[in-house]
């Protein structure tokens, strides 16, 4: 899928999902408000009837306020009565009217005490037979600035009952969230596959370029050597033979690089651990790289601050790791490379640092440099040779040695790779 098509698809899908989510929220909110309004109406009607019955009980039928019932909060109501309130009679009226108006919820009630100037807890009323009123929590009814007799009714299970009453809506919302989750996962997979496809294409292009150049050079040199007259010119014969040998070595190195990371998990399982003096290993490696160091006008300094530079490691693979890091320091440098290698012991571990004055690595690229096939962008794809396998190999081998590797770097200020290996 092309990038433009993919962006249009993603944008359209996101807009559609947001529209569905907005519509779901709208209808959910509307259903909630309707349910709450219906509950409020039934409770208000039942409490108004209770007020009338209380006044009739007190033989004071014409002393009812215009708006005796007030909803203080979502689950708390107050009812004003211009007369004394008998708690026992009030409880019976509340039970009867709640049932009559289909208010099937547990509630607590309190009655305002004019003598003590505070509302007193009245009791807990169960709406069903399986309810245990002894386990109820006594609600602390707030004191209100009302210059009148009043009582309060509190519904402790209002939110839970609302959830139960809107169970279908919650289920559909949860189902929608699952759909969104699958959609997000699908997008993640698509982008991941797209990224892998791009990495694979880059790898194939790089590999084709790396193999095509030496093969072409060998082919041309071979044609020259096939000319019988070349024997009469030994200097040219030696020159072309040297070119073929050099390009063959280059091909071998590229093949070894690819094979080095093939089935690396199996290689880690078969690491041959032995006691390795890392200090001596680094000195030997610097001597081996001497021709390349001179060719690049590079300088490598080595400082051994460790008292015990010996670790248990696979000599071959550890050598390859250090060689890869030094080779990167030589390649990724616009000036004359200056590489500093140091060793020191930290607790029971050996720390290996390789610092350079290269082009550096951006914060974004630092998160990916140890991933397979990843290459830092340098402007020209083939400006620096490679397949993006070196640091991946380094990371896997260090993990296989139960060690750690990290990098500090800034664009234009070089890089410092730090390897920590257990001494035992």
């Amino acid at each position: 899928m092309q990038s433009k098509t993919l962006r249009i698809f993603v944008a359209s899908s996101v807009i559609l999902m947001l529209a569905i989510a907005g519509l779901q929220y709208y209808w959910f909110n509307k259903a909630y408000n309707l349910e709450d309004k219906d509950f409020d109406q039934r409770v208000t009607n039942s409490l108004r009837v209770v007020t009338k019955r209380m006044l009739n009980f007190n033989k004071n039928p014409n002393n009812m306020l215009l708006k005796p019932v007030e909803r203080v909060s979502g689950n708390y109501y107050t009812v004003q009565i211009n007369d004394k309130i008998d708690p026992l009679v009030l409880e019976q009226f509340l039970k009867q009217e709640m049932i009559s108006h289909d208010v099937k919820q547990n509630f607590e009630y309190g009655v305002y005490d004019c003598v003590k100037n505070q509302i007193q807890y009245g009791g807990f009323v169960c709406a069903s037979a399986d309810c245990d009123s002894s386990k109820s929590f006594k609600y602390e009814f707030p004191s209100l600035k009302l210059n009148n007799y009043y009582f309060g009714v509190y519904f402790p299970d209002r939110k839970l009952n609302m959830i139960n009453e809107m169970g279908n809506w919650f289920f559909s919302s949860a189902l929608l969230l699952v759909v969104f989750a699958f959609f997000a996962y699908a997008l993640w997979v698509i982008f991941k596959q797209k990224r892998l496809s791009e990495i694979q294409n880059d790898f194939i292009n790089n590999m084709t370029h790396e193999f095509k150049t030496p093969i072409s050079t060998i082919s041309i040199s071979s044609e020259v050597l096939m000319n019988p007259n070349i024997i009469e010119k030994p200097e040219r014969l030696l020159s072309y033979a040297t070119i073929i040998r050099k390009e063959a070595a280059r091909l071998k190195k590229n093949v070894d690089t690819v094979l080095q990371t093939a089935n690396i998990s199996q290689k880690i399982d078969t690491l041959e651990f032995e006691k390795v003096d890392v200090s001596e290993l680094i000195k030997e490696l610097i001597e081996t790289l001497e021709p390349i160091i001179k060719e690049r006008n590079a300088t490598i300094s080595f400082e051994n601050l460790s008292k015990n530079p010996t670790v248990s490691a696979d000599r071959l693979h550890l050598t390859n790791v250090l060689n890869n890091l030094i080779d990167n320091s030589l390649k990724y440098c616009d000036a004359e490379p200056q590489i500093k290698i140091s060793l020191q012991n930290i607790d029971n571990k050996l720390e290996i640092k390789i610092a350079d004055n290269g082009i550096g690595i951006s914060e974004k690229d630092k998160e990916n440099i140890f991933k397979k096939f990843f290459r830092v962008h340098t402007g020209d794809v083939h400006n620096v040779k490679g397949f993006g396998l070196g640091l991946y190999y380094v990371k896997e081998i260090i993990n296989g040695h139960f060690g750690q590797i990290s990098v500090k770097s800034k664009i234009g200020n070089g890089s410092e790779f730090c390897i920590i290996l257990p001494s035992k």
Side-chain angles (χ1 to χ4, degrees), residues 276-279 302-312 342-353 418-424:
V276 177
D277 187 325
V278 179
S279 175
F302 173 51
E303 185 178 19
N304 184 11
L305 302 176
S306 65
K307 295 181 179 180
N308 177 24
T310 303
V311 297
S312 177
S342 63
L343 291 180
Q344 67 174 336
N345 291 115
I346 300 178
D347 298 329
N348 292 324
K349 298 178 181 179
L350 180 67
E351 181 185 73
I352 310 169
K353 286 186 177 181
C418 179
I419 298 173
I420 298 178
L421 296 174
S423 295
K424 296 182 181 180

Side-chain angles (χ1 to χ4, degrees), residues 36 164 179 191 221 224-225 257 295 372 385:
D36 186 66
N164 291 334
V179 172
F191 280 111
S221 299
V224 174
L225 292 178
T257 300
E295 182 183 341
K372 199 172 186 179
K385 310 298 188 237

Side-chain angles (χ1 to χ4, degrees), residues 10-26 176 180 183:
V10 171
S12 303
S13 301
V14 170
I15 292 173
L16 180 61
M17 286 294 182
L18 290 176
I20 294 174
L23 193 63
Q24 176 74 7
Y25 174 78
Y26 170 77
L176 189 62
F180 283 171
F183 173 72

Side-chain angles (χ1 to χ4, degrees), residues 15-73:
I15 292 173
L16 180 61
M17 286 294 182
L18 290 176
I20 294 174
L23 193 63
Q24 176 74 7
Y25 174 78
Y26 170 77
W27 287 111
F28 180 87
N29 190 55
K30 191 170 184 179
Y32 179 88
N33 290 333
L34 287 173
E35 190 70 31
D36 186 66
K37 187 177 180 180
D38 178 65
F39 169 79
D40 178 56
Q41 188 174 12
R42 285 184 284 116
V43 171
T44 300
N45 290 338
S46 66
L47 292 178
R48 289 181 67 87
V49 174
V50 169
T51 304
K52 288 182 179 181
R53 293 184 65 180
M54 285 297 301
L55 290 173
N56 290 333
F57 179 80
N58 291 334
K59 298 180 180 180
N60 190 6
N62 299 318
N63 202 18
M64 185 174 176
L65 298 175
L66 292 176
K67 289 186 177 182
V69 182
E70 180 182 359
R71 189 179 191 182
V72 179
S73 63

Side-chain angles (χ1 to χ4, degrees), residues 30 98 118 213 243 263 292 321 376 397:
K30 191 170 184 179
M98 291 296 177
Q118 63 182 19
T213 302
I243 291 173
N263 300 321
I292 301 175
V321 165
V376 176
I397 292 299

